[in-house]
Amino acid sequence: MKRILSRTALIAVLVVLTSSAIPAIAQQTPPQQGGAQSAVPGAVLPQLYERGGARLDSGDYTGAALDFSLFLVFNPTYSQGYFARALSQIGLGDHTAAITDLTHALDFAPETSIRYTASVLGLRGQVYQEDGEFDLALDDYTSAIELDPTGDNYANRGFLLARILRFDGALEDFDHAVELLPDVPLLALARANVYGQLHDNAAAAEEYLRFVSLTQADVRDGGTLALDGTPSLVPLTNGDVVLFNFEGTKGQLASIRAEASSGDRVDPLLILLDESGTPIAANDDTSNTDLSATIRRVELPDNGTYTIMLTHALGGDTGDVLIAMLLQES
C-alpha cells in the first residue's frame, strides 16, 4: 500500500514554519508488528485485512474501515488492525475515532515491536497536532523519539516545536534529523527557516545554499538584471537554479525581490553570494502568508562581482517569476 502519512509531504506542507499550516494526512502503510513475512501473522481471516488494505490504497476509506472492523471482530486484540482502521478514519476525517483506534493499537502492541509502537505514536501525534492538541502531540513525538530516535521522529517534533514558536528546540531536533537524514532537501529548507526565525542570517543563508545543492537539476545564466528595480520575467520550476551576476561596490545596499507573476503561485528562493561564492543573505518567504522572496538593503562587504541565485523552494506551483533588484548608495 502507498503511505498514508508521508513525512516528506509533512515537511513540504510546513515549509513556512510559523504558518497555520499543519501536516496533511497523506498515505502510509500500516507498519508490521513483528518480523514475520505475513502482513498479519497469526490472524483469523487475514483476507479481510488484505482487502481493507487494497481499499485503503485506492481511497475507498469507507470500505476499508468496514473491512478492518470485520477483521477486528475476529481479532479484537490485534494491534495492527486498529492502526489500519485508524488510517481509514483519518481518510474519512474522523479524528476522534482515529485517536481511539490508535490508542487501542498502542494498548495491544507487542512489547518487542519498538519501531512499530513508535510509528503508532508518531501517527497519533500528527493527528493530535492537526487538531491543535499540541501538548498531547508533543508527548507522543517525544515518546516516539525515546523508543526509536529516527530522523523522521526528530523531524516530526521539530516541525511541531517550530509551529508553536519554540525555535531553539526545533533547531535542536532538526540538527538531529539532518544528521540522520543528510540528503533530505526539505529538512535543509526547514532548518534554514528556523535559523531565519532566530535571526542567524548567515547560518540561514548557508543552509539555503545546502538546500539548493541537494535539489538543483538545471543551472542556467539568467542574463543581466537592471539595477534600478525594473523587473525581469523568469520561468521557474522545481530544481531550476537561475544565476544573475552584477558588479557591486563596498557599502552599496542591495535589495532584491522575486514574486510570482500574475495568476501563478510560485515559491521562489533568493540567495545573494559574494565573489568567493559565500552566501551573505537569503530569503524564502517574505511573510507567513507571502511566498515571494525578499532581500532588503543588504550592505555589500567588498568591491567585486556578486551573484544572485534564484531557485524554487518547492512550495506552491511552477510558473513565471518576476525578479527585480535595486542597488543604492548607502
Side-chain angles (χ1 to χ4, degrees):
M1 285 182 286
K2 297 177 182 176
R3 302 182 65 193
I4 267 214
L5 195 61
S6 163
R7 265 58 172 190
T8 303
L10 163 64
I11 295 170
V13 171
L14 293 177
V15 164
V16 183
L17 292 175
T18 57
S19 75
S20 60
I22 46 183
I25 302 299
Q27 290 199 339
Q28 175 175 324
T29 301
Q32 292 191 25
Q33 294 178 198
Q37 294 298 315
S38 170
V40 281
V44 177
L45 295 177
Q47 61 268 32
L48 289 172
Y49 182 91
E50 298 296 343
R51 188 174 68 186
R55 287 178 166 176
L56 186 64
D57 190 41
S58 69
D60 179 8
Y61 302 123
T62 300
L66 177 60
D67 280 341
F68 293 134
S69 293
L70 290 172
F71 174 80
L72 287 167
V73 169
F74 297 98
N75 303 274
T77 62
Y78 208 94
S79 174
Q80 195 172 342
Y82 290 104
F83 185 95
R85 189 170 66 179
L87 298 180
S88 305
Q89 303 293 3
I90 291 168
L92 292 169
D94 190 345
H95 289 184
T96 300
I99 290 293
T100 299
D101 275 346
L102 290 168
T103 302
H104 286 319
L106 290 169
D107 290 340
F108 295 119
E111 292 183 2
T112 56
S113 299
I114 293 174
R115 178 151 292 184
Y116 166 76
T117 300
S119 296
V120 179
L121 285 164
L123 179 59
R124 192 174 69 173
Q126 293 198 36
V127 178
Y128 277 139
Q129 182 175 345
E130 184 157 337
D131 287 346
E133 299 284 354
F134 298 137
D135 288 341
L136 293 173
L138 186 59
D139 287 344
D140 275 354
Y141 291 152
T142 300
S143 295
I145 289 170
E146 290 171 351
L147 285 173
D148 191 21
T150 64
D152 283 350
N153 288 332
Y154 277 115
N156 279 345
R157 191 173 68 178
F159 283 117
L160 173 59
L161 291 173
R163 170 74 178 85
I164 59 178
L165 310 184
R166 291 171 56 178
F167 296 115
D168 287 323
L171 181 59
E172 184 176 349
D173 277 349
F174 286 138
D175 286 345
H176 287 302
V178 168
E179 183 178 354
L180 294 164
L181 300 170
D183 298 325
V184 177
L186 289 169
L187 282 177
L189 190 62
R191 189 161 65 168
N193 286 338
V194 170
Y195 276 130
Q197 294 292 340
L198 293 171
H199 306 293
D200 190 342
N201 295 327
E206 288 282 357
E207 200 67 5
Y208 281 128
L209 190 60
R210 193 174 75 84
F211 164 77
V212 172
S213 73
L214 292 171
T215 59
Q216 67 182 24
D218 179 24
V219 181
R220 66 181 189 271
D221 183 4
T224 302
L225 276 181
L227 303 182
D228 61 358
T230 302
S232 296
L233 189 68
V234 180
L236 195 65
T237 188
N238 292 344
D240 283 354
V241 179
V242 187
L243 304 178
F244 304 90
N245 295 325
F246 69 93
E247 296 298 320
T249 302
K250 181 178 180 178
Q252 285 184 313
L253 301 176
S255 297
I256 312 160
R257 180 174 173 84
E259 61 183 355
S261 65
S262 178
D264 290 323
R265 190 174 181 274
V266 189
D267 186 12
L269 167 64
L270 286 171
I271 304 174
L272 178 61
L273 308 168
D274 67 13
E275 195 164 58
S276 68
T278 301
I280 58 175
N283 184 254
D284 176 8
D285 298 323
T286 300
S287 71
N288 294 339
T289 58
D290 186 353
L291 291 179
S292 65
T294 305
I295 293 175
R296 293 186 177 91
R297 295 175 63 82
V298 172
E299 184 173 342
L300 302 183
D302 292 296
N303 299 339
T305 302
Y306 289 82
T307 300
I308 300 168
M309 180 179 289
L310 171 66
T311 188
H312 197 291
L314 305 186
D317 305 314
T318 60
D320 291 333
V321 169
L322 290 169
I323 180 171
M325 177 179 179
L326 181 62
L327 193 61
Q328 300 171 296
E329 300 300 326
S330 58

